[in-house]
Amino acid sequence: AVSAILIAVVTLGPPAYQGGPAYSPTVRPAPLTPPGYVTSGQVPRFYVQVTTHGKPGQNPSEAVVHATATGAVLAVVPPLAGRTVNRVTAAANGRTFVLAEEPWTAAGRAGTAPSALAILNLTAAGRVLGTGALPYTAAGDASLRALALSADGTRLAFASQPATSRNEPALTNVTVLKLAGGASKTWSATGDLTGTVSWTADGKKLAFSWQSGHSLSVRLLDLTSPGGSLLGHSRVAVSLTQAARSGGALITFAPVSLITPDGATVVCAAQLVQAGAKA
């Protein structure tokens, strides 16, 4: 039984001083309402939600564009033919999105078409400016595990995992794709990338949650490296372990983590499990 969701914040150290004047936020104070946050520039004007009509798992999903301030539906974007939308990520401008789509047939997620990535651009008013497939191909049995656009919207990082037999260890690939031109680099390792991936604002590091056996950690991948070994070109930023609490309660970390844009802090989710609760 999970009684609470906790947030663990780990400071990695201050970012290196780059010279120039001290940083000062440019956003204006705002009332604690959705319209106020949008007006101040603290949150984007639009968001995209993955929505299913009917019972989930029995119908394909589509992308729905909403106005953040009101929640109003501005556009509905169906998946590419023979696919279903299962993930979405946004650039910092709040108008560039990438959708991850998996094969779909009348029998559910049993199609043989490869997984796909589609870009979605919005106008300043939230209308769909255009959509289109990105130059990414994968075997029909490969699954996309996580994806994230860089802050400037020019590169996409995503994790994929080819299907393996029950006795084979999982192989995880992390790919960074340039949206213009399609150039890419890939890093690979045996193990599971779970949860999320996230960028630093300078686009030089990618944080991801990594599980190998019973070990869970948050690692930082050096994106300036040429590709190759995922573990060889990354380092452990935080090791996550279970921690006993008073009264027998237990904190167990969930495989969800985000790095702050300045690269100084990692935020991790955790669950508080009560003593004597059934698994």
Side-chain angles (χ1 to χ4, degrees):
V2 178
S3 63
I5 299 296
L6 309 175
I7 296 295
V9 179
V10 181
T11 300
L12 303 181
Y17 177 65
Q18 302 296 322
Y23 168 77
S24 60
T26 58
V27 296
R28 300 183 299 275
L32 301 181
T33 63
Y37 281 121
V38 171
T39 301
S40 70
Q42 295 179 76
V43 298
R45 294 179 60 194
F46 315 110
Y47 69 92
V48 172
Q49 182 179 24
V50 178
T51 303
T52 303
H53 295 289
K55 189 173 182 179
Q58 297 183 3
N59 298 278
S61 300
E62 58 195 7
V64 180
V65 181
H66 294 264
T68 305
T70 63
V73 174
L74 302 179
V76 176
V77 182
L80 300 173
R83 298 185 173 91
T84 179
V85 179
N86 68 331
R87 297 178 189 275
V88 62
T89 180
N93 65 6
R95 290 168 52 188
T96 302
F97 301 84
V98 168
L99 312 175
E101 303 184 353
E102 289 187 348
W104 182 272
T105 69
R109 293 185 185 181
T112 57
S115 299
L117 296 169
I119 190 167
L120 167 63
N121 290 306
L122 303 179
T123 67
R127 293 189 295 271
V128 176
L129 182 62
T131 61
L134 291 175
Y136 159 75
T137 58
D141 58 1
S143 61
L144 292 173
R145 306 298 299 272
L147 72 163
L149 270 171
S150 60
D152 61 7
T154 63
R155 292 182 292 166
L156 177 73
F158 60 92
S160 61
Q161 196 171 77
T164 59
S165 67
R166 181 173 297 181
N167 296 324
E168 286 184 289
L171 175 67
T172 297
N173 300 314
V174 173
T175 300
V176 171
L177 175 71
K178 286 187 177 180
L179 300 191
S184 64
K185 293 192 291 185
T186 297
W187 298 261
S188 303
T190 299
D192 281 311
L193 189 153
T194 56
T196 56
V197 293
S198 58
W199 295 73
T200 53
D202 61 11
K204 294 181 179 180
K205 289 184 173 60
L206 188 78
F208 60 93
S209 298
W210 185 254
Q211 185 163 4
S212 180
H214 298 291
S215 174
L216 181 64
S217 61
V218 178
R219 301 184 67 95
L220 296 181
L221 174 63
D222 179 7
L223 297 178
T224 65
S225 64
S229 171
L230 179 61
L231 301 185
H233 291 295
S234 64
R235 66 176 179 87
V236 175
V238 185
S239 294
L240 304 176
T241 59
Q242 292 183 340
R245 304 267 295 177
S246 60
L250 188 71
I251 290 179
T252 177
F253 284 96
V256 177
S257 58
L258 294 170
I259 193 165
T260 53
D262 61 7
T265 303
V266 168
V267 181
C268 307
Q271 296 172 332
L272 180 62
V273 181
Q274 295 294 348
K278 294 181 179 181

